[in-house]
């Protein structure tokens, strides 16, 4: 059957009409996503590789491009969502204080260096509202000024805290510097590769403890990405709509949770406490064993770095609480994984001469009085109020030195 010229024009016109309609729709949704605003992406700076047996360098650590800027957001649209303007310093960390300036102020101000994971990275609040950022606008009781910065990245655990401190040691003498390390529920078993978070980048470019000895293993970030990874990164970087769907609306998580009926995967009941799946020792004996071992290795390595009592009393471990049990006014399960690890690290840190800031009684008392939550509706990370409560305790501890 021969197609007439008029018919060809009709088909071509329909094709371009449909294409134009899709393009305009995408453009409109893209504009909406930018206004919402969709969260920015802060891609990791490459390369991430490390010959840690020789020396810890900046290339060993997760970091962003120095002096990059963007907006983190969660939720659907203004004014109901949560957003914060973020920027990185000279070594790609989310801090308003350049590490060069931090080092050069050694004789002028009280120096505070925070080491940690996403709770110290604090994407959910602007840099100056994080617990370590607030310190830069505060003074001690003796009227001494404070300069505070951080080395932190999402997904890190105890071995990476040690690596970050060792990197800082290559840049300056840490003996008189106050080191603050938030300890979060997933820091213990996830210190070993077996229990590390899995995913597109989970566990890559990170340090892990070794079960057979106290050496640390480093898993290198691949130098080259496959086509799928490149395509995902390109879309997330260039399209606000893609970021809005993936991060703000959590579309991939929604689909994963609601399309399980298409697979043969059996649904198992999981109890979430803080940001981990809870368990009992009789259910997961190896997990408890590994968590306890991680604490021992971490404390021993920290003691070797902070080798005298002067440095150790200037090392603050901030222990997070099971905030859900506080909000729900429920009884703590003292035999659960997190509660067991909390008690153990508090005990061993105190015996080793480190300062412990236990946020559980602080959060408990404050919530009973003010009924204000310490994290947003969107995730378990501390909000501005939570960061301020942590900051209050750190400043109180500094004033006791």
């Amino acid at each position: 059957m021969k197609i007439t010229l008029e018919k060809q024009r009709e088909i071509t016109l329909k094709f371009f009409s449909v294409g134009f309609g899709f393009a305009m729709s995408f453009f409109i949704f893209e504009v909406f996503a930018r206004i919402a605003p969709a969260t920015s992406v802060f891609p990791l700076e490459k390369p991430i590789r490390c010959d840690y047996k020789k020396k810890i360098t900046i290339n060993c650590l997760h970091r962003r491009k120095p002096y990059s800027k963007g907006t983190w957001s969660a939720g659907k649209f203004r004014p109901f969502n949560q957003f914060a303007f973020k920027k990185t310093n000279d070594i790609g960390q989310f801090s308003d204080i350049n590490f060069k300036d931090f080092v050069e102020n050694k004789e002028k101000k009280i120096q505070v260096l925070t080491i940690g994971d996403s709770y110290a990275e604090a994407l959910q609040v602007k840099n100056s509202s994080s617990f370590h950022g607030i310190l830069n606008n505060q003074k001690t009781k003796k009227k001494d000024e404070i300069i505070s910065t951080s080395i932190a990245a999402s997904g890190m655990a105890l071995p990476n805290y040690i690596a970050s401190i060792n990197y800082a040691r290559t840049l300056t003498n840490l003996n008189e510097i106050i080191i603050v390390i938030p300890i979060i529920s997933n820091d213990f078993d996830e210190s070993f590769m077996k229990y590390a978070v899995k995913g597109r980048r989970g566990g890559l470019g990170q340090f892990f403890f070794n079960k057979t000895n106290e050496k640390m293993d480093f898993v290198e970030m691949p130098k080259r990405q496959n086509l799928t990874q490149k395509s995902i990164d390109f879309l997330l970087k260039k399209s606000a709509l893609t970021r809005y769907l993936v991060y703000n609306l959590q579309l991939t998580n929604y689909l994963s949770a609601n399309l399980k009926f298409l697979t043969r995967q059996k649904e198992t009941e999981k109890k979430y406490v803080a940001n981990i799946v809870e368990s009992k020792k009789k259910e997961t004996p190896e997990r408890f064993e590994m968590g306890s071992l991680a604490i021992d290795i971490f404390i021993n390595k920290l003691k070797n770095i902070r080798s005298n009592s002067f440095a150790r009393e200037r090392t603050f471990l901030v222990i997070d609480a099971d905030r859900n049990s506080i909000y729900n006014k429920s009884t703590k399960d003292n035999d659960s994984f997190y509660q067991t690890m909390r008690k153990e690290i508090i005990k061993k840190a105190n015996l080793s001469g480190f300062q412990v800031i236990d946020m559980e009684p602080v959060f408990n008392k404050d919530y009973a009085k003010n009924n204000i939550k310490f994290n947003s509706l969107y995730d378990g990370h501390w909000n501005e109020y939570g960061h301020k409560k942590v900051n209050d305790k750190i400043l109180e501890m500094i004033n006791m030195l």
Side-chain angles (χ1 to χ4, degrees):
M1 180 178 177
K2 191 174 181 179
I3 300 176
T4 64
L5 182 60
E6 185 178 342
K7 191 68 175 178
Q8 286 180 338
R9 287 177 178 173
E10 184 182 345
I11 293 172
T12 303
L13 182 61
K14 285 182 178 180
F15 175 80
F16 278 110
S17 296
V18 171
F20 180 75
F22 274 116
M24 284 303 297
S25 298
F26 180 83
F27 176 77
I28 292 169
F29 283 121
E30 184 73 18
V31 170
F32 169 80
R34 292 177 186 274
I35 295 172
T39 192
S40 301
V41 289
F42 300 92
L44 294 175
E45 186 81 338
K46 306 290 181 63
I48 302 177
R49 56 173 179 258
C50 190
D51 187 357
Y52 64 93
K53 294 176 182 178
K54 292 182 179 179
K55 183 181 180 181
I56 297 286
T57 69
I58 190 65
N59 286 344
C60 297
L61 307 179
H62 278 212
R63 65 206 183 276
R64 270 66 177 200
K65 184 179 179 181
Y67 308 114
S68 57
K69 299 177 181 180
T71 301
W72 177 89
S73 69
K76 296 180 180 179
F77 50 85
R78 294 175 188 260
F80 305 109
N81 63 349
Q82 179 185 348
F83 58 94
F85 177 76
K86 300 295 290 185
K87 62 180 181 178
T88 61
N89 63 7
D90 57 342
I91 60 169
Q93 303 296 315
F94 288 105
S95 171
D96 291 338
I97 304 299
N98 289 331
F99 209 87
K100 182 175 181 291
D101 298 330
F102 177 78
V103 171
E104 290 177 352
N105 273 274
K106 201 169 189 67
E107 305 300 326
K108 302 174 185 177
K109 299 180 180 181
I110 303 294
Q111 295 172 290
V112 181
L113 174 61
T114 293
I115 303 291
D117 67 349
S118 54
Y119 280 73
E121 185 181 59
L123 284 176
Q124 297 74 20
V125 299
K126 60 184 178 181
N127 292 350
S128 59
S129 295
S130 67
F131 68 85
H132 50 84
I134 299 171
L135 287 169
N136 289 303
N137 296 312
Q138 295 176 316
K139 293 183 179 180
T140 67
K141 283 184 177 179
K142 297 177 182 178
K143 304 301 180 183
D144 292 320
E145 292 186 345
I146 300 171
I147 185 167
S148 170
T149 193
S150 64
I151 300 176
S154 175
M156 301 297 106
L158 303 179
N160 299 284
Y161 305 162
I162 296 297
S164 296
I165 297 172
N166 281 329
Y167 168 67
R169 290 171 77 192
T170 68
L171 304 179
T172 187
N173 187 329
L174 298 180
N175 197 58
E176 295 188 8
I177 293 176
I178 296 169
I179 294 180
V180 178
I181 309 174
I183 303 295
I184 312 301
S185 58
N186 60 337
D187 279 336
F188 307 104
D189 52 342
E190 290 181 20
S191 291
F192 293 94
M193 198 182 307
K194 178 177 179 179
Y195 292 94
V197 173
K198 305 297 187 294
R200 193 160 61 94
R201 291 198 180 110
L204 300 177
Q206 293 181 220
F207 290 87
F208 295 97
F209 289 146
N210 191 309
K211 187 177 179 180
T212 58
N213 56 62
E214 291 203 358
K215 293 180 180 179
M216 296 198 301
D217 298 322
F218 180 77
V219 179
E220 190 169 305
M221 180 78 74
K223 297 176 183 177
R224 294 184 179 180
Q225 294 180 307
N226 59 39
L227 182 60
T228 302
Q229 290 172 324
K230 286 182 179 179
S231 300
I232 292 172
D233 285 349
F234 178 82
L235 284 172
L236 291 174
K237 183 177 181 181
K238 299 296 183 181
S239 171
L241 177 59
T242 302
R243 298 195 300 274
Y244 183 76
L245 293 172
V246 172
Y247 295 124
N248 292 74
L249 297 187
Q250 298 284 310
L251 183 62
T252 52
N253 292 345
Y254 176 83
L255 292 175
S256 176
N258 289 278
L259 295 180
K260 286 182 179 178
F261 67 90
L262 296 176
T263 70
R264 295 182 178 180
Q265 182 179 349
K266 292 184 178 180
E267 188 75 31
T268 56
E269 187 176 347
K270 295 179 180 179
K271 180 183 178 183
Y272 288 89
V273 172
N275 58 338
I276 62 169
V277 178
E278 259 306 2
S279 65
K280 295 286 189 70
K281 190 170 184 177
K282 64 179 180 180
E283 301 164 344
T284 56
E286 185 189 58
R287 186 188 189 196
F288 276 72
E289 178 190 340
M290 300 284 264
S292 182
L293 180 59
I295 293 171
D296 287 339
I297 297 174
F298 174 69
I299 293 294
N300 287 337
K301 286 185 177 296
L302 197 57
K303 283 164 63 177
N304 290 335
I305 295 171
R306 309 291 270 175
S307 57
N308 57 68
S309 59
F310 182 85
R312 289 182 190 177
E313 69 177 6
R314 283 162 176 74
T315 305
F316 303 169
L317 302 189
V318 181
I319 316 296
D320 193 21
D322 172 8
R323 282 164 273 129
N324 286 333
S325 68
I326 293 174
Y327 303 150
N328 299 330
K329 296 181 173 60
S330 57
T331 304
K332 291 184 304 181
D333 184 353
N334 289 317
D335 295 325
S336 68
F337 177 76
Y338 184 38
Q339 290 300 330
T340 302
M341 296 301 109
R342 265 179 48 84
K343 288 182 287 186
E344 189 167 333
I345 196 167
I346 288 172
K347 178 181 178 181
K348 290 178 178 177
N350 279 325
L351 288 173
S352 299
F354 300 119
Q355 304 273 20
V356 172
I357 299 175
D358 185 359
M359 293 306 300
E360 186 173 272
V362 178
F363 285 156
N364 217 334
K365 182 179 179 181
D366 188 89
Y367 189 74
K369 179 181 179 181
N370 300 311
N371 202 39
I372 300 174
K373 290 188 175 182
F374 311 102
N375 50 273
S376 75
L377 294 172
Y378 302 109
D379 62 33
H381 292 94
W382 299 325
N383 57 18
E384 286 193 7
Y385 190 72
H387 276 276
K388 185 63 177 71
K389 293 297 142 185
V390 174
N391 164 266
D392 288 344
K393 294 304 295 182
I394 291 171
L395 184 62
E396 180 183 313
M397 192 71 75
I398 292 172
N399 283 323
M400 293 171 61
L401 294 175

